[in-house]
Amino acid sequence: NYESTERVERLLNTKMTTIGKLFGDAVISDMAIVGYGLYIQDGPTMGVLFEAKNLGLHKSSFAQERLATLEKIEPEGGKLREEPIDGTTDSFLSAPDQSVRSFMVIAEPYLFVTSSRELARRFIEVQKTNESLAQLPAFRFARLMMPIEHDYDVFAYFSSEFFQNLVSPKYQ
C-alpha cells in the first residue's frame, strides 16, 4: 500500500485520534475527501472537508495538532504561518521536503484541510459564489440514486471532469 494512509495523514496533518473516534460524531456532522488527482505516491492534490457541529472545538483540536507537528518539524525548517488566499487569512503548515503541506481554511460551519493552495482558493470561491460540485446535474442524479436519508457509511462521487483531469497531459 506504499504507506498511503500515513503519507496522507502526514501531508495534511490529519489523523484519526482516540478522542476523534470516541467523540467524532459530537464534533463532525459530515466529511468529504476532495481532490484534483489522488496519486498518493506522487503527492496528491487533495483535501478533507469537515462540516463541524462544534466548529470551535474542532478548530481548537486542529490548532493543537498543528502546533504539535510544528514542534517536530521546526528543527528541520518547518513553518506554521498565516497565508493570504483570495482575501482570507488561512493557516499554512509546511516542511521543507514537502512531506507536510497543509493549508487550513475555515468558513463556518466548514473546516477544510488541503495540500493544495489551488484547492484552498477554490474552497473560498465556492463559499462566495455557492457554485459547487453539488450543483452539477450528474451529482444531483447520483444523490437521487443514493439519498442521504439512507445513511450510507460511504458515498463516493467522481465527476467526469475528475477522470478527464487524470488522463490529461497535466497529470501524466
Side-chain angles (χ1 to χ4, degrees):
N1 76 11
Y2 303 105
E3 299 175 340
S4 299
T5 301
E6 294 83 4
R7 186 177 302 198
V8 170
E9 285 177 346
R10 179 165 166 79
L11 178 70
L12 297 176
N13 193 56
T14 59
K15 187 171 187 159
M16 178 59 82
T17 63
T18 303
I19 292 174
K21 289 176 186 173
L22 292 173
F23 301 109
D25 289 344
V27 179
I28 301 167
S29 59
D30 205 359
M31 69 174 277
I33 298 172
V34 300
Y36 290 138
L38 302 177
Y39 293 118
I40 305 297
Q41 275 187 274
D42 299 331
T45 302
M46 66 180 300
V48 181
L49 176 63
F50 299 93
E51 183 178 30
K53 288 181 180 175
N54 185 330
L55 185 60
L57 185 58
H58 198 185
K59 181 180 173 183
S60 174
S61 173
F62 267 81
Q64 288 174 357
E65 287 178 27
R66 293 169 84 75
L67 287 173
T69 298
L70 177 63
E71 283 184 25
K72 293 176 189 171
I73 65 172
E74 201 169 28
E76 49 191 71
K79 297 197 182 326
L80 176 62
R81 67 176 190 268
E82 290 185 349
E83 183 79 11
I85 302 174
D86 221 20
T88 66
T89 302
D90 306 295
S91 171
F92 180 53
L93 177 66
S94 65
D97 65 358
Q98 300 297 306
S99 62
V100 177
R101 181 174 172 78
S102 176
F103 292 90
M104 184 173 75
V105 185
I106 297 170
E108 196 166 336
Y110 301 104
L111 188 147
F112 184 50
V113 180
T114 179
S115 61
S116 164
R117 181 182 180 81
E118 174 57 21
L119 277 177
R121 187 206 61 75
R122 178 69 180 119
F123 172 74
I124 295 163
E125 179 183 343
V126 167
Q127 299 308 304
K128 292 176 181 176
T129 65
N130 208 25
E131 294 176 7
S132 70
L133 183 70
Q135 308 302 318
L136 295 176
F139 179 87
R140 297 177 88 173
F141 178 74
R143 256 313 181 200
L144 181 68
M145 296 291 100
M146 297 183 74
I148 200 163
E149 295 81 28
H150 288 186
D151 200 25
Y152 294 104
D153 287 335
V154 174
F155 168 73
Y157 176 78
F158 297 92
S159 68
S160 59
E161 292 85 0
F162 175 82
F163 290 109
Q164 290 167 0
N165 278 339
L166 285 181
V167 297
S168 72
K170 179 166 110 175
Y171 288 99
Q172 297 302 311

